[in-house]
Short mmCIF file of all heavy atoms in Angstrom, two decimals:
data_model
loop_
_atom_site.label_atom_id
_atom_site.label_comp_id
_atom_site.label_asym_id
_atom_site.label_seq_id
_atom_site.Cartn_x
_atom_site.Cartn_y
_atom_site.Cartn_z
N ALA A 130 -1.92 6.41 -11.10
CA ALA A 130 -1.52 7.70 -10.56
C ALA A 130 -1.49 8.73 -11.78
O ALA A 130 -1.98 9.86 -11.65
CB ALA A 130 -0.24 7.70 -9.94
N LEU A 131 -0.88 8.27 -12.87
CA LEU A 131 -0.71 9.16 -14.10
C LEU A 131 -2.21 9.44 -14.61
O LEU A 131 -2.50 10.53 -14.98
CB LEU A 131 0.03 8.50 -15.13
CG LEU A 131 0.18 9.14 -16.42
CD1 LEU A 131 0.89 10.68 -16.24
CD2 LEU A 131 1.11 8.43 -17.44
N THR A 134 -4.26 11.88 -12.43
CA THR A 134 -3.60 13.21 -12.73
C THR A 134 -4.14 13.84 -14.07
O THR A 134 -4.68 14.96 -14.22
CB THR A 134 -2.17 13.16 -12.59
OG1 THR A 134 -1.62 12.53 -11.38
CG2 THR A 134 -1.52 14.60 -12.75
N LEU A 161 -0.76 18.54 -18.09
CA LEU A 161 0.26 18.05 -17.20
C LEU A 161 1.66 18.75 -17.63
O LEU A 161 2.41 18.85 -16.75
CB LEU A 161 0.28 16.59 -17.21
CG LEU A 161 1.35 15.92 -16.38
CD1 LEU A 161 1.24 16.30 -14.96
CD2 LEU A 161 1.25 14.33 -16.52
N GLN A 162 1.76 18.96 -18.79
CA GLN A 162 3.00 19.63 -19.21
C GLN A 162 3.27 20.96 -18.55
O GLN A 162 2.37 21.71 -18.34
CB GLN A 162 2.89 19.82 -20.83
CG GLN A 162 4.30 20.28 -21.43
CD GLN A 162 4.09 20.39 -22.92
OE1 GLN A 162 3.05 20.78 -23.46
NE2 GLN A 162 5.03 20.20 -23.69
N ASP A 163 4.53 21.09 -17.95
CA ASP A 163 4.91 22.30 -17.43
C ASP A 163 4.43 22.49 -15.86
O ASP A 163 4.70 23.41 -15.27
CB ASP A 163 4.52 23.69 -18.15
CG ASP A 163 5.11 23.66 -19.50
OD1 ASP A 163 6.20 23.16 -19.66
OD2 ASP A 163 4.54 24.27 -20.45
N ARG A 164 3.78 21.41 -15.41
CA ARG A 164 3.21 21.48 -13.90
C ARG A 164 4.38 21.14 -13.02
O ARG A 164 5.34 20.29 -13.30
CB ARG A 164 2.06 20.46 -13.80
CG ARG A 164 0.77 20.67 -14.53
CD ARG A 164 -0.12 21.80 -13.93
NE ARG A 164 0.24 23.06 -14.13
CZ ARG A 164 0.12 23.80 -15.25
NH1 ARG A 164 -0.40 23.17 -16.36
NH2 ARG A 164 0.52 24.98 -15.35
N ARG A 165 4.17 21.78 -11.89
CA ARG A 165 5.22 21.58 -10.82
C ARG A 165 4.56 20.33 -9.95
O ARG A 165 3.59 20.62 -9.18
CB ARG A 165 5.39 22.70 -9.95
CG ARG A 165 6.08 23.85 -10.70
CD ARG A 165 6.31 25.07 -9.75
NE ARG A 165 5.24 25.61 -9.05
CZ ARG A 165 4.48 26.59 -9.57
NH1 ARG A 165 4.69 27.01 -10.70
NH2 ARG A 165 3.37 27.00 -8.88
N VAL A 166 5.24 19.13 -10.08
CA VAL A 166 4.65 17.96 -9.53
C VAL A 166 5.44 17.47 -8.45
O VAL A 166 6.72 17.41 -8.43
CB VAL A 166 4.46 16.79 -10.56
CG1 VAL A 166 3.98 15.55 -9.97
CG2 VAL A 166 3.57 17.23 -11.76
N MET A 167 4.91 17.16 -7.26
CA MET A 167 5.50 16.46 -6.16
C MET A 167 4.99 15.05 -5.95
O MET A 167 3.85 14.85 -5.90
CB MET A 167 5.17 17.32 -4.80
CG MET A 167 5.89 16.64 -3.58
SD MET A 167 5.26 17.50 -2.07
CE MET A 167 6.17 19.10 -2.31
N ILE A 168 5.95 14.19 -5.82
CA ILE A 168 5.60 12.82 -5.37
C ILE A 168 6.16 12.56 -4.01
O ILE A 168 7.34 12.72 -3.75
CB ILE A 168 6.26 11.71 -6.39
CG1 ILE A 168 5.80 11.99 -7.85
CG2 ILE A 168 5.98 10.34 -5.95
CD1 ILE A 168 6.49 11.14 -8.90
N ILE A 169 5.13 12.22 -3.15
CA ILE A 169 5.65 11.89 -1.69
C ILE A 169 5.57 10.44 -1.55
O ILE A 169 4.51 9.76 -1.57
CB ILE A 169 4.58 12.52 -0.67
CG1 ILE A 169 4.58 14.05 -0.86
CG2 ILE A 169 5.09 12.18 0.61
CD1 ILE A 169 3.66 14.78 0.09
N GLY A 170 6.82 9.88 -1.54
CA GLY A 170 7.02 8.44 -1.34
C GLY A 170 8.06 8.06 -2.52
O GLY A 170 7.76 8.32 -3.64
N ALA A 171 9.29 7.55 -2.07
CA ALA A 171 10.21 7.39 -3.09
C ALA A 171 10.67 5.92 -3.07
O ALA A 171 11.85 5.46 -3.36
CB ALA A 171 11.49 8.18 -2.65
N ILE A 174 7.24 1.90 -6.11
CA ILE A 174 6.04 2.46 -6.78
C ILE A 174 6.30 3.97 -7.06
O ILE A 174 5.97 4.47 -8.14
CB ILE A 174 4.77 2.27 -6.19
CG1 ILE A 174 4.40 0.69 -5.93
CG2 ILE A 174 3.52 2.87 -6.93
CD1 ILE A 174 3.29 0.34 -5.15
N GLY A 175 6.78 4.71 -6.04
CA GLY A 175 7.03 6.17 -6.25
C GLY A 175 7.95 6.34 -7.53
O GLY A 175 7.83 7.36 -8.23
N SER A 176 9.04 5.46 -7.55
CA SER A 176 10.00 5.61 -8.70
C SER A 176 9.32 5.30 -9.94
O SER A 176 9.58 5.96 -11.02
CB SER A 176 11.18 4.58 -8.54
OG SER A 176 11.90 5.07 -7.37
N ALA A 177 8.35 4.28 -10.05
CA ALA A 177 7.62 4.00 -11.21
C ALA A 177 6.72 5.18 -11.68
O ALA A 177 6.56 5.43 -12.93
CB ALA A 177 6.90 2.84 -10.99
N ILE A 178 6.20 5.88 -10.72
CA ILE A 178 5.28 7.02 -11.04
C ILE A 178 6.16 8.13 -11.58
O ILE A 178 5.87 8.77 -12.59
CB ILE A 178 4.56 7.45 -9.75
CG1 ILE A 178 3.62 6.41 -9.33
CG2 ILE A 178 3.88 8.82 -10.01
CD1 ILE A 178 2.93 6.72 -7.91
N ALA A 179 7.35 8.36 -11.02
CA ALA A 179 8.27 9.30 -11.56
C ALA A 179 8.68 8.94 -12.93
O ALA A 179 8.84 9.88 -13.87
CB ALA A 179 9.43 9.41 -10.56
N ASP A 180 8.95 7.72 -13.27
CA ASP A 180 9.22 7.20 -14.56
C ASP A 180 8.16 7.72 -15.58
O ASP A 180 8.44 8.17 -16.74
CB ASP A 180 9.40 5.73 -14.68
CG ASP A 180 10.77 5.34 -13.95
OD1 ASP A 180 11.61 6.16 -13.84
OD2 ASP A 180 10.90 4.12 -13.67
N ARG A 181 6.99 7.58 -15.22
CA ARG A 181 5.85 7.84 -16.15
C ARG A 181 5.48 9.33 -16.19
O ARG A 181 4.90 9.75 -17.33
CB ARG A 181 4.62 7.05 -15.65
CG ARG A 181 4.74 5.47 -15.93
CD ARG A 181 3.91 4.64 -15.01
NE ARG A 181 3.93 3.18 -15.33
CZ ARG A 181 4.96 2.46 -15.16
NH1 ARG A 181 6.05 2.92 -14.54
NH2 ARG A 181 5.00 1.08 -15.53
N PHE A 182 5.86 10.04 -15.27
CA PHE A 182 5.63 11.53 -15.35
C PHE A 182 6.77 12.26 -16.18
O PHE A 182 6.45 13.21 -16.80
CB PHE A 182 5.56 12.08 -13.89
CG PHE A 182 4.24 12.06 -13.37
CD1 PHE A 182 3.60 10.91 -12.90
CD2 PHE A 182 3.44 13.23 -13.27
CE1 PHE A 182 2.32 10.92 -12.21
CE2 PHE A 182 2.03 13.18 -12.72
CZ PHE A 182 1.60 11.99 -12.22
N GLU A 183 8.00 11.79 -16.07
CA GLU A 183 9.01 12.50 -16.64
C GLU A 183 8.76 12.85 -18.20
O GLU A 183 9.18 13.94 -18.64
CB GLU A 183 10.40 11.75 -16.42
CG GLU A 183 10.82 12.05 -15.08
CD GLU A 183 12.35 11.44 -14.94
OE1 GLU A 183 12.79 10.71 -15.82
OE2 GLU A 183 13.00 11.88 -13.90
N PRO A 184 8.22 11.88 -18.97
CA PRO A 184 8.15 12.41 -20.46
C PRO A 184 7.10 13.47 -20.63
O PRO A 184 7.12 14.02 -21.68
CB PRO A 184 7.61 11.04 -21.12
CG PRO A 184 8.00 9.89 -20.14
CD PRO A 184 7.96 10.55 -18.74
N PHE A 185 6.36 13.85 -19.55
CA PHE A 185 5.34 14.87 -19.73
C PHE A 185 5.88 16.35 -19.47
O PHE A 185 5.28 17.27 -19.41
CB PHE A 185 4.16 14.70 -18.86
CG PHE A 185 3.30 13.48 -19.36
CD1 PHE A 185 3.63 12.28 -19.02
CD2 PHE A 185 2.09 13.81 -20.27
CE1 PHE A 185 2.92 11.19 -19.52
CE2 PHE A 185 1.46 12.74 -20.66
CZ PHE A 185 1.76 11.45 -20.39
N GLU A 186 7.24 16.38 -19.42
CA GLU A 186 7.91 17.68 -19.24
C GLU A 186 7.45 18.44 -17.91
O GLU A 186 7.18 19.59 -18.01
CB GLU A 186 7.79 18.48 -20.40
CG GLU A 186 8.27 17.88 -21.69
CD GLU A 186 8.03 18.59 -22.92
OE1 GLU A 186 8.25 19.88 -22.91
OE2 GLU A 186 7.48 18.01 -23.93
N VAL A 187 7.35 17.75 -16.97
CA VAL A 187 7.01 18.37 -15.60
C VAL A 187 8.20 18.79 -14.87
O VAL A 187 9.27 18.28 -15.02
CB VAL A 187 6.14 17.33 -14.79
CG1 VAL A 187 4.90 16.90 -15.48
CG2 VAL A 187 6.91 16.12 -14.31
N ASP A 188 7.96 19.62 -13.82
CA ASP A 188 9.02 19.97 -12.97
C ASP A 188 8.76 19.16 -11.83
O ASP A 188 7.89 19.36 -10.94
CB ASP A 188 8.87 21.58 -12.54
CG ASP A 188 9.87 21.99 -11.61
OD1 ASP A 188 10.73 21.16 -11.12
OD2 ASP A 188 9.92 23.24 -11.25
N LEU A 189 9.72 18.12 -11.52
CA LEU A 189 9.35 17.06 -10.53
C LEU A 189 10.09 17.20 -9.25
O LEU A 189 11.34 17.40 -9.36
CB LEU A 189 9.77 15.70 -11.14
CG LEU A 189 9.43 14.40 -10.45
CD1 LEU A 189 7.83 14.32 -10.12
CD2 LEU A 189 9.85 13.15 -11.05
N THR A 190 9.41 17.08 -8.19
CA THR A 190 10.05 17.16 -6.74
C THR A 190 9.65 15.83 -6.19
O THR A 190 8.41 15.45 -6.23
CB THR A 190 9.61 18.37 -5.97
OG1 THR A 190 9.96 19.61 -6.67
CG2 THR A 190 10.30 18.29 -4.64
N ARG A 191 10.65 15.19 -5.49
CA ARG A 191 10.32 13.96 -4.71
C ARG A 191 10.52 14.10 -3.21
O ARG A 191 11.53 14.83 -2.94
CB ARG A 191 11.22 12.84 -5.28
CG ARG A 191 10.86 12.39 -6.82
CD ARG A 191 11.76 11.23 -7.23
NE ARG A 191 13.15 11.73 -7.14
CZ ARG A 191 14.20 10.95 -6.91
NH1 ARG A 191 13.96 9.65 -6.70
NH2 ARG A 191 15.44 11.34 -6.98
N VAL A 192 9.73 13.57 -2.52
CA VAL A 192 9.84 13.68 -1.09
C VAL A 192 9.65 12.28 -0.42
O VAL A 192 8.91 11.59 -0.77
CB VAL A 192 8.72 14.71 -0.53
CG1 VAL A 192 8.65 14.68 1.00
CG2 VAL A 192 8.80 16.01 -1.14
N ASP A 199 19.77 9.83 -5.01
CA ASP A 199 19.83 8.45 -5.76
C ASP A 199 20.09 8.85 -7.18
O ASP A 199 20.57 9.87 -7.55
CB ASP A 199 18.48 7.76 -5.54
CG ASP A 199 17.26 8.52 -6.19
OD1 ASP A 199 17.49 9.44 -6.93
OD2 ASP A 199 16.20 8.02 -5.96
N ASP A 200 19.94 7.73 -8.00
CA ASP A 200 20.38 8.00 -9.37
C ASP A 200 19.57 9.00 -10.10
O ASP A 200 20.10 9.56 -11.14
CB ASP A 200 20.36 6.61 -10.09
CG ASP A 200 21.18 5.59 -9.62
OD1 ASP A 200 22.09 5.94 -9.01
OD2 ASP A 200 21.04 4.31 -9.93
N ARG A 201 18.51 9.30 -9.64
CA ARG A 201 17.45 10.18 -10.30
C ARG A 201 17.89 11.68 -9.86
O ARG A 201 17.58 12.71 -10.43
CB ARG A 201 16.12 9.95 -10.07
CG ARG A 201 15.16 10.67 -10.92
CD ARG A 201 13.69 10.34 -10.48
NE ARG A 201 13.39 9.00 -10.63
CZ ARG A 201 12.86 8.44 -11.74
NH1 ARG A 201 12.62 9.21 -12.79
NH2 ARG A 201 12.61 7.07 -11.70
N GLY A 202 18.59 11.77 -8.73
CA GLY A 202 18.85 13.08 -8.05
C GLY A 202 18.40 13.25 -6.69
O GLY A 202 18.43 12.29 -5.76
N LYS A 203 17.94 14.46 -6.26
CA LYS A 203 17.70 14.73 -4.93
C LYS A 203 16.35 14.28 -4.40
O LYS A 203 15.28 14.49 -5.24
CB LYS A 203 17.77 16.24 -4.70
CG LYS A 203 17.48 16.82 -3.23
CD LYS A 203 17.67 18.23 -3.05
CE LYS A 203 17.52 18.85 -1.72
NZ LYS A 203 18.41 18.10 -0.68
N ILE A 204 16.24 13.72 -3.26
CA ILE A 204 15.01 13.40 -2.58
C ILE A 204 14.90 14.37 -1.32
O ILE A 204 15.79 14.22 -0.48
CB ILE A 204 14.89 12.01 -2.17
CG1 ILE A 204 14.86 11.08 -3.44
CG2 ILE A 204 13.49 11.74 -1.46
CD1 ILE A 204 15.08 9.64 -3.07
N HIS A 205 13.85 15.00 -1.26
CA HIS A 205 13.65 15.97 -0.09
C HIS A 205 13.03 15.18 1.07
O HIS A 205 12.40 14.21 0.96
CB HIS A 205 12.76 17.21 -0.42
CG HIS A 205 13.39 18.09 -1.46
ND1 HIS A 205 13.95 19.15 -1.42
CD2 HIS A 205 13.33 17.88 -2.89
CE1 HIS A 205 14.37 19.81 -2.44
NE2 HIS A 205 13.95 19.00 -3.34
N LEU A 213 8.17 23.63 0.32
CA LEU A 213 7.94 23.10 -1.01
C LEU A 213 6.54 23.29 -1.41
O LEU A 213 6.06 23.54 -2.66
CB LEU A 213 8.27 21.56 -0.97
CG LEU A 213 9.70 21.24 -0.76
CD1 LEU A 213 9.96 19.81 -0.72
CD2 LEU A 213 10.64 21.76 -1.87
N HIS A 216 4.75 26.01 -3.69
CA HIS A 216 5.16 25.95 -5.11
C HIS A 216 4.80 24.79 -5.81
O HIS A 216 5.34 24.50 -7.03
CB HIS A 216 6.68 26.25 -5.17
CG HIS A 216 7.14 27.31 -4.38
ND1 HIS A 216 7.05 28.63 -4.68
CD2 HIS A 216 7.88 27.26 -3.08
CE1 HIS A 216 7.53 29.55 -3.79
NE2 HIS A 216 8.09 28.69 -2.81
N THR A 217 3.87 23.97 -5.31
CA THR A 217 3.50 22.79 -5.86
C THR A 217 2.07 22.73 -6.48
O THR A 217 1.18 23.23 -5.76
CB THR A 217 3.57 21.57 -4.88
OG1 THR A 217 4.98 21.54 -4.25
CG2 THR A 217 3.29 20.17 -5.43
N GLU A 218 1.95 22.32 -7.62
CA GLU A 218 0.68 22.30 -8.32
C GLU A 218 -0.05 20.99 -8.29
O GLU A 218 -1.27 20.81 -8.42
CB GLU A 218 0.81 22.70 -9.73
CG GLU A 218 1.38 24.24 -9.92
CD GLU A 218 1.54 24.58 -11.33
OE1 GLU A 218 2.58 23.97 -11.90
OE2 GLU A 218 0.83 25.36 -12.00
N VAL A 219 0.62 19.80 -8.26
CA VAL A 219 0.21 18.46 -8.25
C VAL A 219 0.99 17.81 -7.08
O VAL A 219 2.19 17.66 -7.22
CB VAL A 219 0.22 17.68 -9.49
CG1 VAL A 219 -0.23 16.33 -9.41
CG2 VAL A 219 -0.44 18.52 -10.67
N VAL A 220 0.24 17.14 -6.17
CA VAL A 220 0.82 16.26 -5.16
C VAL A 220 0.32 14.86 -5.43
O VAL A 220 -0.78 14.70 -5.40
CB VAL A 220 0.45 16.75 -3.71
CG1 VAL A 220 1.05 15.77 -2.71
CG2 VAL A 220 0.91 18.11 -3.50
N VAL A 221 1.27 13.92 -5.62
CA VAL A 221 0.95 12.53 -5.67
C VAL A 221 1.40 11.80 -4.49
O VAL A 221 2.52 11.75 -4.12
CB VAL A 221 1.52 11.89 -6.94
CG1 VAL A 221 1.21 10.41 -7.04
CG2 VAL A 221 1.18 12.65 -8.23
N LEU A 222 0.44 11.15 -3.76
CA LEU A 222 0.75 10.51 -2.51
C LEU A 222 0.92 8.90 -2.76
O LEU A 222 -0.01 8.18 -3.35
CB LEU A 222 -0.31 10.64 -1.47
CG LEU A 222 -0.63 12.13 -1.13
CD1 LEU A 222 -1.94 12.22 -0.39
CD2 LEU A 222 0.43 12.71 -0.42
N ILE A 223 2.05 8.45 -2.44
CA ILE A 223 2.40 7.01 -2.56
C ILE A 223 3.17 6.43 -1.38
O ILE A 223 3.89 5.51 -1.41
CB ILE A 223 3.07 6.57 -4.01
CG1 ILE A 223 3.06 5.16 -4.19
CG2 ILE A 223 4.31 7.24 -4.02
CD1 ILE A 223 1.72 4.46 -4.08
#
Side-chain angles (χ1 to χ4, degrees):
L131 177 60
T134 304
L161 179 53
Q162 190 177 30
D163 301 332
R164 296 278 75 77
R165 298 187 299 274
V166 176
M167 174 188 293
I168 300 174
I169 302 182
I174 301 178
S176 295
I178 293 172
D180 289 340
R181 285 155 177 78
F182 272 75
E183 281 192 343
F185 287 85
E186 302 176 50
V187 301
D188 181 358
L189 185 63
T190 299
R191 294 177 301 146
V192 175
D199 64 8
D200 293 342
R201 196 187 299 272
K203 183 176 179 60
I204 299 173
H205 296 266
L213 298 172
H216 309 287
T217 300
E218 296 172 290
V219 178
V220 177
V221 181
L222 302 168
I223 189 56

